[in-house]
């Protein structure tokens, strides 16, 4: 993480994004203020229709500060093929190769399964998200999925180092090498080679379609999971659904030099924007992941404990988890659980 400056304070790039992003980032600022967090935000606006100059300004701000907290920027699939996803541009420009989400059962949230505690590591820079598509003849489109040995080994090493640091026992590689024998075959081979360097951690592999069935049947069997880009997107969303939905799970994108924190499922929540019913949990827990990255562990722990304590009260539950509470009500409850300064 970048060193603190100006009297021990950190400057973090804030990208509010679209949909519910701007209102949730305001609430993050409010909680940080009450918790006396030594972080100053440099706000950069990037929206779905923003010109690429705005995206490059955001990328420069992240390069300058080293760390960012962001809402999701909408990607309109009706735009021409030349229009690149703003979220994807940020991740690839900064080589944020590891997307990490922590899916765990939360107190007070009723779900079909309990005792879920899974770390999902997704390769973030290649695979099906390489933006290499062309129409070879009318009505025939070729979309290239890029898998390289270097990036596959890099993400495998990241997953095993994470498992070691978090005292986890098993890493599961998710693939479709039975059909994509070269592409996913290479990814799986790299994971197997890297696994041999971590003999204390057991390694297994699982085909992606079976993985989704196993997740919804017996998710407790999974510990750390590692996978290419598209499978990671799908598995992230399945796991978020298992523990209560998109409003609860935080996510992080790590590179060698930079880190960007956001909600795990990367959806804008446009349909509930400005209605004061969005769940603030995921955004606040993502902010806690950011504080841990900045080694502000006591502030991260304080806010995380307040968020979890607030979830114990059903009156604070927003509609997405079966309650009738409001965003502002949930945030005030979280603030009331912070220790008095």
């Amino acid at each position: 993480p970048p060193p603190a400056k100006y009297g021990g304070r950190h400057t973090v790039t804030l990208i509010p994004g679209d949909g519910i992003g701007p209102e949730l980032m305001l609430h993050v600022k409010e909680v940080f203020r009450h918790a006396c967090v030594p972080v100053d935000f440099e706000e950069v606006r990037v929206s779905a229709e923003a010109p690429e100059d705005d995206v490059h300004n955001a990328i420069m701000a992240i390069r300058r500060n080293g760390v960012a907290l962001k809402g999701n920027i909408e990607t309109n699939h009706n735009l021409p093929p030349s229009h690149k996803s703003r979220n994807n541009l940020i991740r690839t420009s900064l080589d944020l190769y590891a997307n990490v989400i922590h899916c765990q059962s939360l107190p007070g949230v009723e779900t079909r399964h309990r005792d879920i505690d899974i770390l999902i590591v997704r390769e973030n820079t290649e695979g099906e998200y390489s933006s290499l598509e062309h129409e070879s003849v009318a009505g025939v489109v070729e979309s290239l999925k890029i898998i390289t040995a270097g990036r596959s080994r890099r993400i495998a090493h990241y997953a095993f180092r994470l498992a070691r640091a978090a005292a986890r026992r098993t890493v599961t590689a998710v693939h479709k090498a039975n059909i994509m024998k070269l592409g996913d075959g290479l990814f799986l081979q790299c994971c197997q080679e890297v696994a041999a360097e971590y003999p204390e951690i057991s390694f297994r592999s699982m085909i992606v379609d079976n993985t989704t069935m196993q997740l919804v049947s017996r998710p407790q069997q999974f510990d750390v999971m590692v996978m290419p880009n598209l499978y990671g997107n799908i598995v992230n969303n399945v796991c978020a659904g298992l523990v209560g939905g998109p409003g609860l799970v935080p996510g992080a994108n790590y590179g060698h030099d930079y880190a960007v924190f956001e909600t795990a499922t990367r959806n804008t929540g446009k349909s509930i924007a400005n209605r004061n019913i969005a769940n603030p949990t995921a955004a606040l827990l993502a902010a806690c992941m950011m504080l841990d990255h900045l080694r502000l562990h006591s502030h991260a722990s304080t806010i995380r404990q307040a968020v979890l304590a607030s979830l114990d009260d059903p009156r604070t539950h927003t509609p997405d988890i079966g309650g009738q509470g409001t965003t502002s009500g949930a945030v005030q409850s979280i603030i009331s659980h912070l220790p008095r300064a």
Side-chain angles (χ1 to χ4, degrees), residues 42 46 74 87 133 175 186 216 221-222 231 253 256-257 280 283 313 317 323-324 328 332:
E42 179 190 358
V46 183
E74 189 181 2
N87 302 293
E133 295 185 302
H175 65 93
L186 176 61
V216 298
Q221 68 184 282
F222 294 102
Y231 310 152
N253 304 281
H256 188 262
D257 299 308
D313 181 359
H317 288 189
Q324 297 180 324
S328 51
Q332 288 311 308

Side-chain angles (χ1 to χ4, degrees), residues 244-312:
L248 296 172
V249 187
N253 304 281
Y254 298 106
H256 188 262
D257 299 308
Y258 311 106
V260 173
F261 299 85
E262 61 188 347
T263 60
T265 58
R266 299 173 175 171
N267 46 354
T268 54
K270 194 167 67 170
S271 61
I272 58 169
N274 303 311
R275 292 173 55 195
N276 197 26
I277 56 172
N279 193 327
T281 304
L284 285 165
L285 291 178
C288 290
M289 290 179 81
M290 180 192 78
L291 294 177
D292 276 326
H293 177 72
L294 293 171
R295 300 204 174 110
L296 296 169
H297 299 301
S298 63
H299 290 94
S301 177
T302 298
I303 295 172
R304 194 177 280 116
Q305 286 170 13
V307 170
L308 298 180
S310 171
L311 281 172
D312 268 334

Side-chain angles (χ1 to χ4, degrees), residues 20 25 30 90 105 108 112 133 139 143 152 158 169-170 183 188 213 228 246 249 256 264 286 298 304 317 322 325 329:
I20 58 176
M25 294 305 145
E30 185 183 6
I90 291 170
S105 300
R112 184 182 296 270
E133 295 185 302
S143 182
S152 297
Y158 189 95
R169 295 178 179 175
T170 307
L188 180 57
M213 183 181 68
V249 187
H256 188 262
S298 63
R304 194 177 280 116
H317 288 189

Side-chain angles (χ1 to χ4, degrees), residues 190-212:
C190 291
C191 288
Q192 289 166 338
E193 290 169 359
V194 168
E197 300 177 36
Y198 300 83
E200 78 281 15
I201 298 167
S202 64
F203 172 74
R204 63 178 187 154
S205 62
M206 191 176 286
I207 293 171
V208 62
D209 34 342
N210 183 35
T211 302
T212 53

Side-chain angles (χ1 to χ4, degrees), residues 126-133 143-147 180 184 228-231:
E126 57 176 14
E128 300 82 357
Y129 289 60
S130 302
S131 301
L132 296 170
E133 295 185 302
S143 182
L144 301 181
K145 167 176 172 167
I146 308 299
I147 298 285
M180 282 170 273
D184 280 23
N229 213 332
L230 178 62
Y231 310 152

Side-chain angles (χ1 to χ4, degrees), residues 54-74:
D54 283 10
V55 185
H56 292 307
N57 288 340
I59 290 166
M60 286 301 295
I62 300 169
R63 288 190 197 279
R64 189 163 54 246
N65 298 320
V67 179
L69 182 67
K70 71 181 277 288
N72 200 45
I73 303 158
E74 189 181 2

